[in-house]
């Protein structure tokens, strides 16, 4: 029987890690290629260090970010520039049985449509995990702003069909792959498959990830009692609720026992300005750091960052974690779906792993226990 050919399209380091895990476990007998876009800052370096991976057929670097910058009114750019640019891409002339994506974005839409129309009419589109958005059902993941092919008899509709015959791929998904289907808050209209969790004792795979993401370059010290994760959902300023809550925690455990992992999108390091130790390396994925770390004796703390739950989802790590979203009304109101996911996972299913204090008194009680442990040691 001929091996199936599968293309994985990745736009983040997390996508890349998930794709590698799927390829080396579920699809280890197939021919699998990966495209890593230029959206991550170090993507070219990651691709370079991924050559000769024994469980992947090809790893390609592709410049796709420019596609997002073409507005709906740039008719001539869409007609000439996009088509010409995409035809030069590494996978354009190849034929695949399956395409895997974690986002519906222009590159995926164009490549899938081309494959379906000109290469393999039976090609299947599969979705794979993109973190908590996949579990909470983030609507934007299933939308595209490309002019998709619709049945219409208008002049505009005929022009779109001729020049931009992109398929509505949000309707083409046939399967979904996630680490834990039981965490999902919605029921997809297609089959859901389980990705095997990553084994923290699999030194061979972890060594490969370390090489790919330059883990040996890490100089940050995560052996602190508390690792606090800045998230990307609130308003960053010196009066933010997260800073005030961290000060309460520091009053119990001491600033010297805390490291803050700053969010890579935030250009201002609010925490270092008031004396907290923060990470200097933002390019090594937290998932790789967690795989190499003993997290059993620390607390992972955040308002809304998925980083505190990803070690649990990816490799079953039961590190004590504290989520502060109930103490930050502005965060909860902004991201209702994510709050629902956190509430389901942390307040209903795994209360032994996750703490979600609803009052400042409860928060102080959690870290008073940490203070007592420090005093006894």
């Amino acid at each position: 029987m001929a091996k199936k050919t599968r293309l994985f399209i990745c736009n983040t380091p997390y996508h890349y890690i998930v794709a590698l895990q799927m390829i080396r476990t579920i699809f280890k007998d197939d021919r699998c290629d990966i495209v890593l876009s230029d959206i991550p800052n170090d993507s070219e370096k990651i691709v370079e260090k991924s050559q000769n991976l024994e469980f992947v057929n090809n790893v390609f670097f592709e410049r796709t970010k420019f596609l997002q910058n073409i507005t709906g009114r740039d008719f001539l750019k869409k007609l000439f520039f996009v088509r010409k640019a995409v035809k030069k891409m590494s996978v354009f002339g190849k034929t695949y049985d399956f395409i895997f994506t974690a986002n519906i974005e222009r590159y995926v839409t164009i490549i899938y449509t081309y494959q379906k129309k000109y290469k393999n009419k039976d090609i299947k589109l599969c979705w794979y995990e993109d973190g908590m958005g996949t579990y909470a059902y983030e609507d934007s993941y299933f939308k595209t702003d490309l002019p998709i092919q619709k049945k219409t008899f208008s002049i505009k509709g005929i022009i779109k069909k001729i020049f931009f015959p992109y398929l509505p791929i949000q309707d083409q998904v046939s399967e979904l792959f996630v680490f834990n289907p039981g965490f999902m808050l919605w029921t997809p209209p297609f089959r859901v498959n389980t990705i095997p969790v990553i084994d923290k004792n699999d030194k061979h795979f972890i060594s490969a990830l370390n090489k790919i993401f330059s883990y040996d370059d890490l100089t940050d010290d995560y052996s602190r009692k508390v690792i606090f994760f800045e998230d990307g959902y609130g308003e960053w300023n010196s009066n933010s609720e997260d800073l005030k809550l961290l000060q309460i925690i520091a009053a119990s455990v001491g600033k010297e026992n805390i490291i803050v992992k700053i969010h890579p999108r935030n250009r201002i390091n609010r925490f270092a300005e008031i004396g907290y130790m923060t990470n200097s390396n933002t390019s090594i994925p937290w998932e790789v750091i967690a795989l190499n770390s003993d997290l059993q004796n620390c607390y992972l703390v955040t308002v809304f960052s998925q980083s505190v739950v990803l070690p649990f989802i990816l490799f079953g790590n039961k590190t004590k974690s504290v989520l502060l979203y109930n103490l930050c009304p502005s965060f909860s109101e902004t991201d209702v779906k994510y709050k629902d996911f956190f509430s389901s996972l942390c307040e209903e299913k795994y209360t032994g792993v996750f703490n979600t204090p609803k009052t400042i008194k409860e928060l102080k009680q959690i870290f008073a226990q940490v203070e007592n442990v420090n005093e006894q040691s």
Side-chain angles (χ1 to χ4, degrees), residues 167-186:
L167 294 171
I169 62 173
Q170 57 268 47
D171 300 328
Q172 306 284 315
V173 178
S174 61
E175 294 182 76
L176 171 67
F177 292 79
V178 296
F179 283 98
N180 198 318
F183 293 168
M184 296 179 66
L185 299 185
W186 60 291

Side-chain angles (χ1 to χ4, degrees), residues 252-267:
S252 288
V253 305
K255 282 186 178 181
E256 70 278 5
N257 291 312
I258 299 173
I259 182 171
V260 178
K261 194 172 191 310
I262 57 175
H263 195 281
R265 287 201 303 268
N266 191 0
R267 301 293 182 184

